[in-house]
Amino acid sequence: MRRGRVVYPLVALVIITAMILALPRAQDQLRSRLGKAAAEHGRDVYPSPELVDFWKAFSRALADADPGPDGLHRKLTPPDAPWAAMTADWTPPDVLEVSYEQLSGLQASHAGFVRDMLSSPRLPPLPYEAGSRGIVTSCTSKSLQVLFVTLSMLRRAGSTLPVEVFLEDALDIESSACTRVLPALGARCRHLGAVLDTAPMKSAPASFQIKGFALLCSSFQHALWLDMDDFPLADPEPLFDADVYTHNGLVTWPDFWAVTASRHFYRVAAVARPPPPAGRASTESAQLLLDKARHGATLLLAVYYNEYGLQYYELLSQGARGQGDKETFPAAAIALDLPYYQVEEPASPVGHGWAEGYALDAILQHHPQDDWARHQGRRDPDPAAPAAPAAPAASAGPADPAQPRPLFFHNRGIKADAAQIPQTVFDTKVRMWYSAETMEARFGLDLERAMWDDILETACELRLDFPALRDLPDVCERALGAYDVLFRDDAPEEKAPPTERR
C-alpha cells in the first residue's frame, strides 16, 4: 500500500456512494441552523469607538516605554527543570548576560510604563461590557477546522458561553467559516487588525503575543482564554462564580516545568520580595481566567511584556522549555502585587505508545475550585475580594475530595485536523489517548471518538467552508478510512462529501 492511498472497507464506500445521491436529514438541519446564524452574524459591529480610542492611547504608552532593540543573550545552556524533580530550596541558575546599562534601561522603561498605565490621565478606561462572560481564542485560516472541533466539544460539554475568535487576516472574516459555520456554534470572528491597525505599532503581534492582544480587544469583562485545541470536559461557566475566581480574579494552570525566571526580572519590575522559585510550577497558558475589572492593569502589563518579548521572554524563562507568553500574566500580577491563583494539582500527561516509542499528545488540567477548596486551609485569601457562594460543581466524572476533577484537555500534539490526522492513524494504527473504557470512566464519554465525530463533520459536510480543506477532494474518504481503523466495530454516522454550492 503506497503512502497517501488507502484501501477502504467496502461498507464505507457503499455508505459514501449512497450519501452522494441524497443529502441526509441531519445535514439539512445543519444547513438551516447555519443560515440562521449567518443572519445574526450580519448584525454584528466591531470594533467599538471606545475600544479604538483606548488602543490609540495605549499604543502610545507602549511605544514610549520601548526598552530598546537589544535582546538579552545567554552565557550558559538554558535550565532544564522538570517540576516533579524540584526540591523546596531549588533556585534556577541565572544564564543571562545583563549589563548595567541594559538593566538600568529596562528598569526605567518598566517604571515609566507602569506609571503611565496606573496614573496617567492620557489613558482612558479599558473598555468592556460590564458583567459579561465569554471565551476568547484565536486561530489562522489554516486552522479554522481545528477550532470547529474545539467549539463542538465545548457545546457537547453543555456550555452556552459566547466565544470571540480573533484572526490576523481581514479576508478570513468574510469566509463562510466565519459568516456561517462558527456563528452556528455561538462564536464570532474578530479581525485583530481592525483595532491594532488604527495606530502605529513596532510590529504586528504574532504567535505567542496574540493572546494578550486578543484578551485586550475582547468585549468580555470575565474572560476564559482557550487555545484553539483545548477541549473543556465540562461547562466552564460556573468557574466565574467559584470562590477561587471571585477571590483572585486571575487563575492559571501549571506546566510540567519549574519557574526559571532570572533574578534580573524582579530587579527590573522592582519586586521587593520575589516569590520562591520552588513555590509553584511554571504556567501552561492554554487556558486562563481573567477579570478585567480587577486585573485590567495585569492584562495591560502582560501585553507590554509580550510586545517586548525579545527582552521579557528571556527574563521570565531564560530559554527554558515552553518559553513565550506563558509566564507573562503571573509575572504581571506579581509585579503589581495583585492576587492570583495557580492550580496546584500537577498537569497530567496523556499520550500513546507505538512502534517508535511514546508520544505526548495532550495535557490534562484540573478543576481550580476543587484545588482551591483542598488548599485554602493553608492560604491567606485576599480580604478585599467580594465573598461569593461556592459554584455549582461542573460535572466531569465523580467528585473526589482528595482529587480535583479533570476539566481541560489540551490536545497540544496531533491536532484535530482532517487534513493531517488521517495519515497519523494510517501510520500508527493506534488511538492517541486512553482506551474507550478508560475515557468513559474518567470523563463520561469516549473523548477521542467524540473528537473524530466532529472531524468527520469538517471533512464530509463542511469541507468547502474551511480554506485548508477546500482543495482536498478526498479528505472525507481519508477521514472515514482513519475512523474505520480506530473504531471499526462502531460504524460512523452516514457522511457524504459536500456538493458544490450554487
Side-chain angles (χ1 to χ4, degrees), residues 5 42 77 89 94 132 189 215 264 270 288 318 330 401 455 481 484:
R5 298 189 62 189
T77 303
D89 59 349
D94 219 298
S132 61
C189 293
L215 285 165
H264 296 299
L288 176 86
Q318 301 193 87
I455 290 174
D484 183 72

Side-chain angles (χ1 to χ4, degrees), residues 230-292:
D230 196 1
F231 307 153
L233 300 173
D235 181 4
E237 184 166 9
L239 295 178
F240 293 119
D241 295 315
D243 288 345
V244 63
Y245 179 71
T246 60
H247 278 77
N248 296 284
L250 174 64
V251 179
T252 62
W253 278 261
D255 205 342
F256 299 125
W257 314 104
V259 174
T260 55
S262 166
R263 69 182 187 278
H264 296 299
F265 167 74
Y266 300 108
R267 294 172 180 171
V268 167
V271 177
R273 298 178 58 188
R280 66 172 177 91
S282 63
T283 302
E284 198 265 320
S285 57
Q287 55 283 305
L288 176 86
L289 278 168
L290 183 135
D291 177 1
K292 289 182 181 177

Side-chain angles (χ1 to χ4, degrees), residues 118-135:
L118 296 180
S119 59
S120 174
R122 77 186 215 184
L123 195 62
L126 175 64
Y128 53 81
E129 184 181 337
S132 61
R133 301 172 170 185
I135 293 171

Side-chain angles (χ1 to χ4, degrees), residues 185-210:
L185 293 170
R188 295 189 185 278
C189 293
R190 307 294 198 201
H191 177 214
L192 199 54
V195 179
L196 304 189
D197 291 350
T198 61
M201 283 192 73
K202 188 174 183 178
S203 60
S207 186
F208 301 122
Q209 297 173 304
I210 290 176

Side-chain angles (χ1 to χ4, degrees), residues 5 120 171 182 191 207 213 269 289 306 448 462:
R5 298 189 62 189
S120 174
L171 294 177
L182 298 188
H191 177 214
S207 186
F213 286 93
L289 278 168
N306 281 278
E448 190 160 351
L462 301 172

Side-chain angles (χ1 to χ4, degrees), residues 93-130:
D94 219 298
V95 304
L96 296 182
E97 289 185 326
V98 183
S99 67
Y100 175 80
E101 291 76 14
Q102 285 177 311
L103 182 62
S104 298
L106 286 164
Q107 287 173 325
S109 60
H110 190 285
F113 178 78
V114 171
R115 181 178 60 250
D116 283 351
M117 179 180 63
L118 296 180
S119 59
S120 174
R122 77 186 215 184
L123 195 62
L126 175 64
Y128 53 81
E129 184 181 337

Side-chain angles (χ1 to χ4, degrees), residues 89-419:
D89 59 349
W90 180 80
T91 299
D94 219 298
V95 304
L96 296 182
E97 289 185 326
V98 183
S99 67
Y100 175 80
E101 291 76 14
Q102 285 177 311
L103 182 62
S104 298
L106 286 164
Q107 287 173 325
S109 60
H110 190 285
F113 178 78
V114 171
R115 181 178 60 250
D116 283 351
M117 179 180 63
L118 296 180
S119 59
S120 174
R122 77 186 215 184
L123 195 62
L126 175 64
Y128 53 81
E129 184 181 337
S132 61
R133 301 172 170 185
I135 293 171
V136 183
T137 189
S138 70
C139 71
T140 67
S141 60
K142 294 180 179 180
S143 56
L144 283 164
Q145 68 277 9
V146 179
L147 178 61
F148 174 89
V149 174
T150 297
L151 295 180
S152 295
M153 300 291 274
L154 172 73
R155 301 312 177 201
R156 184 179 284 110
S159 175
T160 59
L161 282 170
V163 180
E164 292 181 336
V165 182
F166 284 86
L167 300 164
E168 299 175 59
D169 193 333
L171 294 177
D172 295 336
I173 302 298
E174 303 304 322
S175 69
S176 58
C178 275
T179 60
R180 293 164 32 85
V181 177
L182 298 188
L185 293 170
R188 295 189 185 278
C189 293
R190 307 294 198 201
H191 177 214
L192 199 54
V195 179
L196 304 189
D197 291 350
T198 61
M201 283 192 73
K202 188 174 183 178
S203 60
S207 186
F208 301 122
Q209 297 173 304
I210 290 176
K211 180 180 303 172
F213 286 93
L215 285 165
L216 182 75
C217 295
S218 75
S219 64
F220 306 126
Q221 174 186 337
H222 304 284
L224 168 63
W225 170 270
L226 283 181
D227 277 5
M228 67 170 184
D229 51 5
D230 196 1
F231 307 153
L233 300 173
D235 181 4
E237 184 166 9
L239 295 178
F240 293 119
D241 295 315
D243 288 345
V244 63
Y245 179 71
T246 60
H247 278 77
N248 296 284
L250 174 64
V251 179
T252 62
W253 278 261
D255 205 342
F256 299 125
W257 314 104
V259 174
T260 55
S262 166
R263 69 182 187 278
H264 296 299
F265 167 74
Y266 300 108
R267 294 172 180 171
V268 167
V271 177
R273 298 178 58 188
R280 66 172 177 91
S282 63
T283 302
E284 198 265 320
S285 57
Q287 55 283 305
L288 176 86
L289 278 168
L290 183 135
D291 177 1
K292 289 182 181 177
R294 299 187 64 197
H295 276 278
T298 301
L299 173 58
L300 301 185
L301 186 53
V303 168
Y304 175 73
Y305 292 157
N306 281 278
E307 171 71 357
Y308 298 110
L310 193 64
Q311 291 86 8
Y312 283 96
Y313 290 168
E314 289 291 336
L315 285 169
L316 292 171
S317 295
Q318 301 193 87
R321 299 197 194 196
Q323 175 167 299
D325 70 289
K326 58 184 289 180
E327 292 302 311
T328 56
F329 284 87
I334 291 168
L336 296 170
D337 196 24
L338 292 173
Y340 80 99
Y341 183 79
Q342 179 156 298
V343 172
E344 294 194 16
E345 181 66 23
S348 299
V350 180
H352 69 272
W354 62 303
E356 301 295 327
Y358 180 83
L360 174 64
D361 295 312
I363 299 176
L364 186 65
Q365 297 285 8
H366 296 84
H367 201 296
Q369 180 59 27
D370 293 354
D371 193 75
W372 167 267
R374 186 172 64 167
H375 294 289
Q376 68 177 351
R378 53 186 176 87
R379 292 190 172 276
D380 182 19
D382 175 20
S395 177
D400 179 356
Q403 176 65 41
R405 291 163 291 172
L407 185 58
F408 294 110
F409 195 93
H410 182 200
N411 183 31
R412 61 181 293 278
I414 303 168
K415 308 302 182 190
D417 184 353

